[in-house]
Amino acid sequence: MAASAAAVLVRYCLLLLCAAAAAVAQEVVAPPHDEDNDTVLQSSSSSNYCLSWRLGAETNNVRGWWTVPAQCCGYIQAYMAGSGQYQRDVDLIVDQIMGHASNVAASITTGAAGDEGGGDDGLDAWVLDVDDTCLSNMLYYKTRRSYGCLPYEPLSFRAWASKARSPAIPAVLGLFNYLRDAGFKVFLVTGRDAEALGDATRLNLLRQGFVGYHRLILRTASYRGQSGEVYKSEMRRQVMEEGYRIWGNVGDQWSDLLGHSLGNRTFKLPNPMYFVP
Ligand SMILES: *[C@@H]1O[C@H](CO)[C@@H](O)[C@H](O)[C@H]1NC(C)=O
Ligand SMILES: *[C@@H]1O[C@H](CO)[C@@H](O)[C@H](O)[C@H]1NC(C)=O
């Protein structure tokens, strides 16, 4: 009897333990109360929305935006600075650019570039943009524009650019060095104003190791007020008129890569912080 009572007690205790364990398990897997569920859903649907927005902006389907949508401020900050994803995206695209550049270099050497020409006439060229292509303005966008959530401020940007302290984007500096050493003429084409920012831009490029470019093209007075697309197309047209073959054209804005005289291939680097028409 005593043994059987003990067995019942043990069984009862096991049941209690199981019930307690089940309760704990349920607590772990139980759905959160309404409020928590809402928060989780909102944050996941807004980060899904922001991923869609960023993709739309990068593919030039979302155009003409002045600031990052308010609900995406945290997402874009995390994308640019927190998660390392921006860096990885840049690195992947630069790998693709290097692939094209080395194919072109090889086809020029072997004469396989055919009708496109290419060779030892010193006219094989690449075009790179400057802001957020060669040089990063992320520090400025972090401190003054909350990663694109606050609107454009021409004066504070000019003050930042005048300091000539924009760091190089490391992968693009590597690309630049490769292109120069492979014998390409590198043209840096920027919408920065020649008078106001010419010296600071040259100094900044030098400080960051962009040495040996063929030409830095800044916006002179006669092109003031033109859209990036019109101005940059015209600059490339002039370069091509001099006989240069543009094998690659790299920028963070679609206005770097649309229009005419585009070159053999264009490459879009990520930039979800601002849009230049
Ligand atoms: C939480 O969200 C899920 C998914 O929409 C839903 O199925 C579930 O019923 C919600 N739970 C509560 C407690 O609101
Ligand atoms: C790019 O260059 C390759 C090789 O010369 C050529 O076959 C191709 O047609 C060119 N494409 C453009 C858009 O210029």
Side-chain angles (χ1 to χ4, degrees), residues 113 116 247 263-264:
E116 298 290 315
W247 288 103
N264 187 262

Side-chain angles (χ1 to χ4, degrees), residues 6-268:
V8 167
L9 192 62
V10 164
R11 227 175 280 157
Y12 180 68
C13 287
L14 278 174
L15 275 175
L16 273 183
L17 273 174
C18 281
V24 167
Q26 206 167 8
E27 209 161 279
V28 170
V29 299
H33 62 81
D34 285 355
E35 208 181 353
D36 285 0
N37 214 8
D38 275 350
T39 313
V40 170
L41 278 176
Q42 264 173 22
S43 78
S44 84
S45 78
S46 99
S47 95
N48 289 342
Y49 169 76
C50 296
L51 179 53
S52 301
W53 181 82
R54 186 170 64 76
L55 180 65
E58 293 297 359
T59 50
N60 202 32
N61 293 313
V62 178
R63 298 183 189 182
W65 47 279
W66 287 102
T67 55
V68 168
Q71 72 265 45
C72 297
C73 293
Y75 172 86
I76 295 298
Q77 174 174 353
Y79 171 77
M80 290 304 297
S83 64
Q85 191 59 46
Y86 165 72
Q87 207 59 61
R88 286 191 291 277
D89 289 353
V90 169
D91 291 351
L92 183 139
I93 294 164
V94 170
D95 276 352
Q96 298 296 311
I97 303 173
M98 292 285 260
H100 178 59
S102 58
N103 284 342
V104 170
S107 72
I108 286 172
T109 314
T110 60
D115 291 346
E116 298 290 315
D120 46 19
D121 56 8
L123 294 172
D124 292 300
W126 276 68
V127 170
L128 308 184
D129 168 53
V130 174
D131 284 301
D132 297 294
T133 297
C134 293
L135 301 176
S136 171
N137 294 309
M138 209 209 295
L139 283 174
Y140 166 78
Y141 275 83
K142 175 186 176 184
T143 52
R144 293 301 299 236
R145 291 201 47 201
S146 186
Y147 295 98
C149 280
L150 299 174
Y152 179 54
E153 280 181 356
L155 290 182
S156 72
F157 181 76
R158 184 170 289 196
W160 155 263
S162 301
K163 289 185 194 154
R165 291 289 177 195
S166 303
I169 295 182
V172 179
L173 179 57
L175 170 70
F176 172 87
N177 287 332
Y178 172 81
L179 292 171
R180 184 204 50 208
D181 294 348
F184 291 106
K185 299 294 191 299
V186 180
F187 290 81
L188 302 179
V189 181
T190 174
R192 287 184 176 198
D193 188 83
E195 237 173 79
L197 290 174
D199 290 343
T201 306
R202 275 182 285 273
L203 175 61
N204 199 155
L205 289 164
L206 174 68
R207 278 175 171 165
Q208 292 301 315
F210 288 92
V211 175
Y213 49 82
H214 190 61
R215 195 180 300 164
L216 170 66
I217 300 178
L218 297 124
R219 192 192 291 261
T220 54
S222 39
Y223 298 100
R224 263 180 215 150
Q226 282 186 352
S227 73
E229 185 177 322
V230 169
Y231 157 70
K232 290 200 169 182
S233 291
E234 177 58 18
M235 295 304 104
R236 290 188 306 266
R237 191 188 63 73
Q238 291 177 11
V239 165
M240 290 173 80
E241 220 163 55
E242 290 178 44
Y244 290 99
R245 294 172 292 273
I246 299 174
W247 288 103
N249 175 10
V250 183
D252 65 297
Q253 297 293 320
W254 277 95
S255 53
D256 299 331
L257 311 174
L258 295 172
H260 59 80
S261 315
L262 295 174
N264 187 262
R265 267 193 75 171
T266 58
F267 294 92
K268 170 72 171 72

